[in-house]
Amino acid sequence: MDKMQEDVRRRAGGRAERPTQRDPERTRASILAAATKEFAENGIGGARVDAIAERAGTNKRMLYHYFGDKEQLYLAVLEEAYVGIRTAEKSVNLSDLEPEQGIAELAMFTWRYFLEHPEFLSLLGTENLHRARWLRQSTRLKELHSHFIGKLSDLLDRGKAKGLFRADIDPLNVYLTIAALGYFYVSNQYTLSTIFGRDLMEEANVEAWERHIVHVTLAAIRR
């Protein structure tokens, strides 16, 4: 009987330990999600640690335990934001696509990602105001971008070999073209909609701009 009770206690104890073991990971993720919203809305200067802790349902002590201070948390948020888009880009398998189709898919993916993640663009705006002060500290992001540009370069080389693309194309310029067309539109949607009297975020306008991004990008690199 004592052995049976011991077995029950051991099994129950095992079940009780698992949520506890997952808590650190879950707490860290909650803090990152809350901090992303806070930094996107208020920038690093206006963001408050108290507000982040409240959003995350935790306390400042836990925030400092996992991230050290507000600046380190901000850098972690930036890194996660870039990891997010780079990870999502892998869904566009450029190696398996024909060159022109690959460029079109990359352009559409980037545009749609910007639409679905406006907080990413807000974080970029904040970091540019500070001249990439925190971004320069991250070796993790440099590795991510190097890999991505390599994939795009391979795609462009295949297009050049087939006589589809110009020989002097710079892969970074191609990506900047795609990103700039999407970033400017989404980041300035309120002022542009007001000035020109057209709701740029109406579905028809969003779809038309997506086609425009693809057309402009391909027109710029075709022979």
Side-chain angles (χ1 to χ4, degrees):
M1 187 67 170
D2 290 342
K3 185 177 185 304
M4 291 178 60
Q5 290 174 339
E6 183 181 344
D7 289 342
V8 169
R9 282 197 301 269
R10 186 169 59 249
R11 287 194 296 270
R15 287 193 298 271
E17 286 173 4
R18 291 190 190 102
T20 302
Q21 290 170 351
R22 288 196 298 267
D23 280 346
E25 188 174 322
R26 187 162 55 240
T27 300
R28 188 179 187 280
S30 296
I31 293 171
L32 273 176
T36 298
K37 293 179 181 178
E38 181 72 12
F39 287 128
E41 292 174 6
N42 301 300
I44 187 169
R48 294 173 51 246
V49 172
D50 285 332
I52 294 171
E54 184 177 352
R55 283 177 185 259
T58 185
N59 54 59
K60 290 194 295 184
R61 182 179 62 82
M62 294 302 293
L63 188 150
Y64 293 135
H65 170 73
Y66 285 108
F67 296 99
D69 58 27
K70 188 170 83 166
E71 291 195 3
Q72 292 181 60
L73 175 57
Y74 173 72
L75 177 57
V77 165
L78 275 179
E79 289 181 335
E80 285 302 309
Y82 274 103
V83 168
I85 189 170
R86 293 290 93 93
T87 300
E89 277 168 348
K90 292 178 181 178
S91 65
V92 184
N93 195 343
L94 299 181
S95 301
D96 293 339
L97 298 174
E98 289 299 311
E100 290 194 342
Q101 183 189 3
I103 294 297
E105 290 291 335
L106 177 61
M108 289 187 290
F109 164 83
T110 304
W111 167 240
R112 292 169 187 175
Y113 192 91
F114 287 177
L115 288 173
E116 294 167 5
H117 297 84
E119 75 285 352
F120 176 63
L121 304 187
S122 294
L123 291 169
L124 291 185
T126 293
E127 188 61 6
N128 275 295
L129 284 174
H130 293 278
R131 302 184 179 184
R133 173 183 168 185
W134 285 275
L135 208 56
R136 285 197 300 268
Q137 301 175 29
S138 176
T139 56
R140 184 184 182 192
L141 294 185
K142 292 174 184 176
E143 294 169 358
L144 283 169
H145 284 276
S146 175
H147 175 75
F148 167 71
I149 290 297
K151 291 288 186 180
L152 178 56
S153 182
D154 290 343
L155 177 69
L156 293 170
D157 285 344
R158 286 196 286 119
K160 294 174 186 178
K162 292 186 175 185
L164 299 171
F165 300 154
R166 299 194 335 264
D168 61 342
I169 301 169
D170 183 335
L172 178 58
N173 287 345
V174 175
Y175 181 72
L176 289 178
T177 299
I178 294 170
L181 289 169
Y183 181 93
F184 184 85
Y185 191 104
V186 177
S187 295
N188 295 277
Q189 59 179 282
Y190 302 107
T191 52
L192 293 174
S193 294
T194 299
I195 291 170
F196 295 109
R198 179 190 297 181
D199 183 359
L200 295 187
M201 300 311 290
E202 283 187 356
E203 185 176 354
N205 292 328
V206 168
E207 292 176 352
W209 192 252
E210 178 175 284
R211 293 192 296 272
H212 182 73
I213 294 174
V214 173
H215 173 76
V216 169
T217 304
L218 285 172
I221 64 176
R222 282 179 176 139
R223 292 189 63 179

